[in-house]
Amino acid sequence: MKLPLHLVKPLTLAVAAAAALSTAHAQQPALKVGLMLPSSGTFAALGDAIEKGFKLYVQEQGGKLAGRDIAYFKVDDESDPSKATDNVNKLIKRDQVDVIVGTVHSGVALAMARAAKESKTLLIVPNAGADAITGPQCAPNIFRSSFSNWQPGYATGVIAAQKGYKRAMTITWNYAAGTETVKGFTEAFEKGGGKVVKDLSLPFPNVEFQALLTEIAAQKPDVVFAFFAGGGAVKFVKDYDAAGLRKNVPLMGSGFLTDGTLEAQGAAAQGLITALHYGDNLETPRNTAFRNKYAVTYKSNPDVYAMQGYDAAQMLAAGLAATKGDVKQQDALVAAMRKAQIDSPRGKFTLSPQHNPTQDFYVREVKGNYNVVTGVAVKALPDPGRGCRM
Ligand code: BEZ
């Protein structure tokens, strides 16, 4: 069929423009995403959930972000801070990734943040709460999709004080996540009229709790606050129950104590009360869709770690959308990430000026295999971002 002459020229131009656009996309190589997560050790399941969450969001976008295919480069960080600098440099120097997503362990993440700041590589932290990352070590190219350690500790302290407990003991691993979470708990608990009478700790990732449980039994505080996660949390909750302590000394914790762990903890965890920025039964269309998609894709239920991985991908997508996938335009990419409102399964959140989520912290109670939300501990809690200068 012959087209009328007045249509031939615009049509030719439109076809040429479309061809040019598709060539531009075709010319963009795959975006290199470095996943530095634990796939061995006590936090292995947490790393796995983060990766699954991240990839689920990418899959929902047709396997591309801002029109670019994604190539994954993976390093098992073993939750070992002594190997962290070498490990992160495999991604930065050897693989020359465009963005790093990681990790779980605060000590490992601190080394990653140092390397990312020096090399100006975009870093999105999908779990590790080390306060310094959005504090003294903050940087324009470093973001977090999870929490600062202070936040869930503080939220749990608020609930413990509201329950009228007066004397608390704390127990945790002796590294940044443990000590900073306990600090947050103590700040809120003592503001609410309580007193922390003793802090107990053991080295990460030890799980020989017996001597410390004996000390708790001897002191008989009104409540125990614990930070443990992953395999260590499973063992601690079971040991606490087996020692017969639950009848006499209520156990509370930041929600990591019971997240992703309930099948293994079984009866020992029933009724435990924690605070976290996620709960399994948040009945919003966004959370329901996320949980259904995750369950269908992976034949398992998502947890807080999966949700944080999913949101790390959402944050990256928000930045890439502003630069049409070009990570080299870092100022524009960072500006878009800073002002994004993330439509998260946890509820919508924005970022603090130091790049940490300002978010609601929920009260949760363990019922069966779920952390069921029973209220809000603190609404829109910002990370204080103490010491950040940017
Ligand atoms: C951390 O090391 O920051 C961490 C690890 C597991 C759960 C929560 C925090």
Side-chain angles (χ1 to χ4, degrees):
M1 183 186 72
K2 264 199 155 185
L3 284 172
L5 208 54
H6 68 282
L7 282 182
V8 170
K9 209 166 170 203
L11 203 63
T12 314
L13 286 176
V15 169
L21 201 69
S22 84
T23 316
H25 272 318
Q27 276 167 355
Q28 291 220 61
L31 186 81
K32 292 181 169 186
V33 174
L35 296 176
M36 181 156 155
L37 295 165
S39 48
S40 55
T42 197
F43 289 159
L46 289 57
D48 181 54
I50 289 168
E51 181 173 343
K52 285 178 169 153
F54 189 95
K55 289 183 169 172
L56 181 65
Y57 182 78
V58 172
Q59 185 195 309
E60 286 175 1
Q61 314 312 306
K64 293 174 196 273
L65 294 180
R68 287 183 74 173
D69 290 325
I70 309 292
Y72 292 104
F73 294 78
K74 288 175 51 167
V75 170
D76 174 11
D77 68 40
E78 305 170 48
S79 295
D80 185 344
S82 72
K83 299 182 183 164
T85 303
D86 282 349
N87 278 331
V88 75
N89 279 328
K90 287 180 194 158
L91 295 173
I92 295 173
K93 295 187 176 153
R94 182 192 66 193
D95 302 329
Q96 305 202 331
V97 299
D98 296 305
V99 53
I100 302 172
V101 177
T103 188
V104 170
H105 185 286
S106 275
V108 176
L110 285 166
M112 294 174 71
R114 268 190 295 276
K117 197 170 176 173
E118 267 170 40
S119 64
K120 296 198 166 34
T121 311
L122 182 64
L123 169 66
I124 305 176
V125 180
N127 183 70
D131 289 343
I133 289 175
T134 48
Q137 266 188 248
C138 70
N141 57 312
I142 299 177
F143 288 81
R144 189 146 52 192
S145 67
S146 51
F147 56 91
S148 73
N149 288 325
W150 177 90
Q151 284 179 307
Y154 186 91
T156 318
V158 168
I159 317 172
Q162 279 168 357
K163 284 183 174 296
Y165 298 131
K166 294 294 174 211
R167 292 172 65 251
M169 283 176 80
T170 71
I171 180 164
T172 189
W173 280 311
N174 190 6
Y175 81 110
T179 52
E180 291 171 357
T181 308
V182 163
K183 246 185 164 169
F185 173 83
T186 305
E187 187 178 327
F189 185 62
E190 298 199 338
K191 216 192 298 179
K195 178 90 193 119
V196 172
V197 293
K198 187 139 200 191
D199 294 321
L200 303 174
S201 66
L202 70 171
F204 175 87
N206 284 11
V207 289
E208 298 311 320
F209 300 117
Q210 218 45 55
L212 301 176
L213 294 177
T214 305
E215 196 168 345
I216 291 170
Q219 297 257 355
K220 289 201 194 60
D222 297 338
V223 65
V224 164
F225 171 79
F227 167 83
F228 294 106
V234 171
K235 172 98 173 18
F236 178 76
V237 165
K238 288 183 132 183
D239 285 4
Y240 198 89
D241 188 47
L245 276 167
R246 281 208 52 201
K247 292 189 292 292
N248 305 317
V249 187
L251 173 63
M252 294 182 77
S254 56
F256 308 109
L257 195 63
T258 58
D259 224 278
T261 54
L262 290 175
E263 273 176 38
Q265 287 165 334
Q270 295 307 305
L272 285 184
I273 291 178
T274 63
L276 207 61
H277 49 293
Y278 187 58
D280 296 315
N281 68 325
L282 286 171
E283 275 166 16
T284 58
R286 188 72 178 102
N287 190 40
T288 305
F290 165 69
R291 294 189 72 87
N292 288 342
K293 205 61 179 282
Y294 192 97
V296 166
T297 308
Y298 300 117
K299 316 283 174 267
S300 62
N301 285 321
D303 54 19
V304 67
Y305 309 104
M307 178 278 284
Q308 293 169 168
Y310 186 84
D311 287 346
Q314 292 211 70
M315 286 166 60
L316 177 60
L320 290 171
T323 63
K324 301 194 169 52
D326 184 0
V327 276
K328 301 273 174 332
Q329 294 179 43
Q330 199 179 76
D331 289 351
L333 187 134
V334 160
M337 287 177 74
R338 281 173 71 94
K339 65 171 199 281
Q341 188 192 53
I342 302 298
D343 189 8
S344 168
R346 77 188 85 174
K348 291 190 170 126
F349 72 84
T350 52
L351 294 174
S352 67
Q354 303 83 12
H355 301 176
N356 191 78
T358 296
Q359 54 196 334
D360 296 346
F361 278 80
Y362 303 103
V363 184
R364 305 124 41 94
E365 182 175 341
V366 175
K367 292 185 181 157
N369 280 343
Y370 297 98
N371 287 288
V372 175
V373 172
T374 59
V376 177
V378 191
K379 251 204 116 37
L381 181 65
D383 167 44
R386 293 169 185 139
C388 169
R389 262 173 276 286
M390 308 201 233

